[in-house]
Structure formats: structure tokens, C-alpha cells
Amino acid sequence: MEGLSEYEHELFKEFSRKLKPLSRSDYLNKIILFKSTLSDKNLLNININESKQFIEYINSIYAKSTCEKIYSYLHSFYNFLVKENYIQNNPFANISKPYVSRIKNKNDVLSLDELNKLISIFPNLNKRDRAIISFLISTGCLLNELINLKWKDLTSNTQNNCSCKIGNQKKERIVELPSYSWDLIMDYKESIQITSIDDFVFKSRNSNTITDRNVRLIVKNALSMAGLSNYSAKDFRHSFATFSLKSGLKDENVKEKLGWSDKNYATRYKYVMNFVDSDDIDYIIDDDELNIYKSKNNK
């Protein structure tokens, strides 16, 4: 295995045997990253100084949330090695974990004007990409929920009420779709070949699926075109939560919409609500002006 010795790779296989494929790959990449800073030193023969230097290194090049994730992965891996008696001490045990505040601020949420600015560049995007971004904004869904969306999950009744089923197991839920978002998805549908209702809605050029990396790049490109490069895909979910709470929805209702495990997650957004438009928010899209969010006072 590139980056790891044969013995180290066997240890990783033992450690990761219960992990799902995507998680296994993510863990492996982070462990290889750590190994790349050790001058080919064995992973079982490192000290706290080397661990500390690595955390300082990633803190200098990655976002805090990424650093927290890398730390957690390595801490977990070395806990396993201690538990299985491969080493005596976890070299990350006495190193402070990178801290990420869960409280959202105005840098995590797009304003109404910014959202409409993003929508205004839709004519410059292909049908798939504008449908993807509209869906993310309109539902606040996670990227993996968008990726796993299938045609059978989309429904529309005789009153033109549109909805979709997203999530799985405890997080499975039905969410309403604004008519404009629905129309964009149907417009995209007409441009592709569908063989079954079990087909994934969004796919790449060479595959019947799309990856989260593909989606992040699509969003990054659109945000750049709109002059909003300071945001990312995750901020659509934060924006949805903030405007839902600002519109008067109760914490429990927002929990159901977003698939949160705890309604108290809403407290993360209490501060940022002070920075968004003070008018009541109406989740209606103006077909003529391409406004996905409107103030009720501006109807």
C-alpha cells in the first residue's frame, strides 16, 4: 500500500474491518498523511512531539473542522493499537484536540441578497448543476442525501404540491419542494436517459452516480461565478436552518425538516439570526425574477 509498509497496512485492515468503505478510505488517507510527515518512520514508533508537530502542521493548512476530524481519526487509530497491545501509549492522548465552535455566525449563512445573487447566475449553468444547487438550497439536505436521491423519491400530486423523500433510517423524511426547484429537476430529467425509477437523480458524465466531490466542485464553481467564493456547500444547510427558524418555525419542526437527532441543535443558530433579514421569510420562488427566497413585505 502506497505510503504504508505492509505491516502497517495489515494493522489498518484489522482496525478498519468494521468501517464502511467510504469511512475506511477516509481514515486511510488521514493516516497516510500523518505517515508522510514522519520521514518514513514506523507508525508504531513515534512520540508525542511528532504528534504535536503534525497537529500544528495541519492547523496551518486546513480548516479547523478538518483538523478536528484528522485528530479524531488518528486518536481512534492509536487507541485501537493500545487496546490490542501493539503500543503502550496513545501519542495523541495528551495533545489538545482542535476545537471547532458549533455556534454559527454570519460567515456561515448567506443573506437573502446573496442567495438571489447565486440564483441569478443559473442561466450560465447546465441543467444538472442548476437543479443540484436549487435542491440543496430548497431542502437544506446533506450532500450524501442529494447523492442518494432516486427518481422514485420525487412525487407531485394533482394540486401540484411537490415533495421528495430524503435521508435513511431514523433521518428519513419527506420535505416539500418549491415549484421552481421541481421544475428545474424536471427540466434536467428531460435532458437525460432514465431506465428505471430506481436510477439516481443526479449522475456524472461517465457514471450513473455522482460523488460528493463532484457536488462540492459544482457548488464551488457556481459560488465563484456569483462572487460568493467565501461560502461552501455546507453553508446552504446552515442558511436553510437559519431562515427556517427566522420565519417562526419551532425548533422541533426544523429538526424534522433537516433530520437532526436533537432539536437543541437549533441553539447553534440563535446568534446568527440577528444578522439575517428582519422581515418574515417566505419560501416561495418567483418564477419571473428567479428569486428563491422572498421577503413577505416584498411580494
Side-chain angles (χ1 to χ4, degrees):
M1 171 62 63
E2 182 180 357
L4 300 183
S5 69
E6 184 175 345
Y7 180 63
E8 289 169 337
H9 187 240
E10 288 301 316
L11 289 177
F12 176 77
K13 286 173 61 177
E14 184 179 350
F15 161 74
S16 63
R17 65 183 183 275
K18 293 184 179 180
L19 296 177
K20 294 181 179 180
L22 288 177
S23 295
R24 185 182 303 116
S25 176
D26 206 15
Y27 267 90
L28 181 59
N29 288 335
K30 304 304 184 290
I31 291 172
I32 290 176
L33 174 63
F34 178 48
K35 177 68 182 291
S36 71
T37 68
L38 299 176
S39 301
D40 294 326
K41 192 173 181 180
N42 192 300
L43 285 174
L44 275 67
N45 187 31
I46 64 170
N47 56 52
I48 189 172
N49 287 331
E50 289 163 325
S51 301
K52 184 177 180 180
Q53 288 173 3
F54 176 71
I55 296 301
E56 291 174 349
Y57 164 68
I58 62 173
N59 274 327
S60 69
I61 61 174
Y62 293 116
K64 286 294 184 183
S65 57
T66 302
C67 295
E68 182 184 53
K69 184 177 184 179
I70 294 173
Y71 172 92
S72 297
Y73 280 8
L74 290 170
H75 192 281
S76 178
F77 176 63
Y78 277 98
N79 264 351
F80 163 79
L81 295 180
V82 171
K83 180 180 178 181
E84 298 299 322
N85 296 316
Y86 289 108
I87 58 176
Q88 289 187 337
N89 301 299
N90 184 338
F92 287 90
N94 295 314
I95 297 176
S96 297
K97 180 179 181 179
Y99 172 73
V100 180
S101 173
R102 302 305 185 210
I103 303 299
K104 304 307 174 188
N105 59 51
K106 60 183 179 180
N107 296 320
D108 299 312
V109 174
L110 285 78
S111 68
L112 293 179
D113 286 342
E114 287 172 328
L115 284 168
N116 286 318
K117 188 176 181 180
L118 176 61
I119 299 302
S120 73
I121 61 96
F122 272 19
N124 300 322
L125 304 177
N126 63 43
K127 293 181 178 181
R128 181 201 63 182
D129 293 359
R130 69 181 71 156
I132 283 176
I133 294 173
S134 176
F135 189 84
L136 289 171
I137 294 173
S138 301
T139 65
C141 71
L142 297 166
L143 291 192
N144 70 305
E145 292 173 337
L146 176 139
I147 290 167
N148 291 313
L149 184 69
K150 295 183 177 181
W151 290 109
K152 66 181 181 182
D153 298 324
L154 298 167
T155 57
S156 176
N157 62 24
T158 55
Q159 287 76 42
N160 291 322
N161 295 319
C162 310
S163 62
C164 65
K165 181 178 72 175
I166 56 178
N168 53 55
Q169 297 178 355
K170 292 183 179 180
K171 292 186 177 183
E172 183 177 289
R173 59 207 185 275
I174 303 296
V175 298
E176 295 180 6
L177 272 180
S179 59
Y180 183 64
S181 293
W182 176 271
D183 291 343
L184 285 177
I185 293 176
M186 293 302 106
D187 189 35
Y188 162 63
K189 183 179 182 181
E190 293 179 359
S191 69
I192 61 174
Q193 183 177 1
I194 300 173
T195 59
S196 168
I197 59 173
D198 286 313
D199 287 354
F200 291 106
V201 173
F202 300 111
K203 56 185 181 180
S204 63
R205 182 178 303 175
N206 301 314
S207 173
N208 289 324
T209 61
I210 194 169
T211 67
D212 61 345
R213 182 176 182 275
N214 293 147
V215 177
R216 291 179 197 279
L217 289 173
I218 289 167
V219 171
K220 181 179 180 180
N221 177 60
L223 288 169
S224 177
M225 292 172 65
L228 301 169
S229 297
N230 51 310
Y231 295 108
S232 63
K234 70 179 184 300
D235 295 322
F236 294 154
R237 183 170 171 85
H238 298 324
S239 300
F240 184 92
T242 301
F243 287 120
S244 294
L245 291 165
K246 187 70 175 182
S247 71
L249 284 182
K250 294 183 178 180
D251 295 357
E252 182 65 31
N253 297 132
V254 180
K255 168 183 174 291
E256 293 173 359
K257 280 179 172 288
L258 292 174
W260 289 340
S261 58
D262 190 334
K263 69 177 182 180
N264 289 323
Y265 286 174
T267 59
R268 301 174 178 178
Y269 298 91
K270 300 301 184 183
Y271 172 77
V272 74
M273 285 170 59
N274 296 324
F275 294 95
V276 300
D277 195 308
S278 60
D279 294 331
D280 290 337
I281 305 303
D282 189 7
Y283 289 85
I284 296 177
I285 299 173
D286 188 310
D287 292 342
D288 296 325
E289 299 178 7
L290 297 184
N291 286 334
I292 193 164
Y293 294 108
K294 293 178 60 180
S295 163
K296 286 183 178 179
N297 293 341
N298 293 329
K299 282 185 180 180

